[in-house]
């Protein structure tokens, strides 16, 4: 097992595959957002990184490449914000079939920020079942290394569900709840955005 620490908090997890060939990144605008000039966003990368090579996905891919002798793994990067906003009725099997067909050997799930507050037991149960179905579909009959992170803007209810479902799927749950407490982690000095929503994203 590998010990991972985030600002003093350790988590024990299984080590990722020694040779990572296919990595699937599923997230929201922090993972990938196409250009939207009307809100002042002109990049096609994780919001609000100043360049493609500086968002968290591409920084991770660079580290993977360095660890495997310079060969970058094949990666699929998808924003599933529609799933976050409509998880209760989302046609998971139909809309995510291509993700399952990708047959990733490493899978990162970074969602939750666009899920409305789960104020009722019904909404919590529906979100739990939706995430469970998503992980099962992507996992398929394979044994990918699964990583599920907590929300960038901490939410105790959502984070607990993500941790529970991620653990059930045999994944590693990465707790980043303390990152947002330090303004330096937003890297907001890189660029100024007039749109409040864009400006709220980590740089």
């Amino acid at each position: 097992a590998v010990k991972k620490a985030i600002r003093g908090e350790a988590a024990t997890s299984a080590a990722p595959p020694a040779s990572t060939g296919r990595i699937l990144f599923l997230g929201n605008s922090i993972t990938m957002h196409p250009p939207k000039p009307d809100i002042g966003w002109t990049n096609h990368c994780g919001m609000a990184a100043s360049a493609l090579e500086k968002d968290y996905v591409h920084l991770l891919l660079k580290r993977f490449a360095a660890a495997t002798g310079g060969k970058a793994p094949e990666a699929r990067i998808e924003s599933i914000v529609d799933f976050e906003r409509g998880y209760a009725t989302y046609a998971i099997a139909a809309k995510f079939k291509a993700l399952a067909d990708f047959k990733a050997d490493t899978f990162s799930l970074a969602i939750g920020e666009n899920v409305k507050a789960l104020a009722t037991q019904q909404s919590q149960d529906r979100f739990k079942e939706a995430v469970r179905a998503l992980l099962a579909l992507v996992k398929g009959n394979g044994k990918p290394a699964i990583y599920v992170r907590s929300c960038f803007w901490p939410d105790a209810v959502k984070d607990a569900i993500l941790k529970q479902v991620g653990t059930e799927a045999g994944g590693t749950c990465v707790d980043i709840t303390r990152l947002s407490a330090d303004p330096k982690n937003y890297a907001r000095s890189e660029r100024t955005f007039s749109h409040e929503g864009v400006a709220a994203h980590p740089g």
Side-chain angles (χ1 to χ4, degrees):
V2 177
K3 287 284 187 180
K4 291 192 175 184
I6 297 179
R7 294 186 177 273
E9 293 186 0
T12 302
S13 68
S19 57
T20 302
R22 291 171 174 256
I23 304 179
L24 174 62
F25 293 93
L26 295 185
N28 45 45
S29 54
I30 300 177
T31 298
M32 186 275 286
H33 197 296
K36 200 174 187 327
D38 60 307
I39 62 172
W41 178 248
T42 56
N43 290 350
H44 194 150
C45 63
M47 191 180 280
S50 57
L52 180 72
E53 64 272 14
K54 292 185 178 181
D55 69 17
Y56 86 87
V57 168
H58 291 86
L59 288 173
L60 278 173
L61 289 174
K62 183 178 179 180
R63 292 183 66 178
F64 273 119
T68 57
K71 180 178 173 55
E74 182 179 355
R76 179 160 185 158
I77 308 163
E78 299 281 348
S79 172
I80 58 170
V81 64
D82 289 344
F83 167 79
E84 287 183 296
R85 292 171 176 163
Y87 63 86
T89 58
Y90 201 83
I92 294 173
K95 295 190 176 183
F96 287 160
K97 182 179 183 302
L99 302 181
D101 291 344
F102 182 65
K103 298 187 183 305
D105 52 31
T106 297
F107 167 43
S108 167
L109 183 66
I111 62 170
E113 290 79 9
N114 294 293
V115 176
K116 288 185 178 180
L118 302 173
T120 66
Q121 188 62 51
Q122 183 182 46
S123 65
Q124 293 169 27
D125 291 342
R126 285 183 174 177
F127 181 59
K128 185 184 299 182
E129 289 306 312
V131 176
R132 185 176 286 140
L134 169 59
L135 291 179
L137 181 70
V138 173
K139 188 174 182 180
N141 296 322
K143 295 182 179 180
I146 299 173
Y147 296 88
V148 180
R149 69 125 169 92
S150 60
C151 297
F152 185 81
W153 295 282
D155 183 296
V157 175
K158 296 178 194 175
D159 290 340
I161 291 174
L162 290 168
K163 181 178 181 179
Q164 177 186 341
V165 178
T167 300
E168 290 174 354
T172 297
C173 300
V174 183
D175 185 354
I176 64 168
T177 53
R178 296 185 65 184
L179 293 182
S180 61
D182 186 347
K184 293 179 181 178
N185 291 323
Y186 286 79
R188 285 175 173 157
S189 61
E190 291 181 350
R191 181 177 170 188
T192 300
F193 294 97
S194 58
H195 188 277
E196 183 178 349
V198 178
H201 285 69

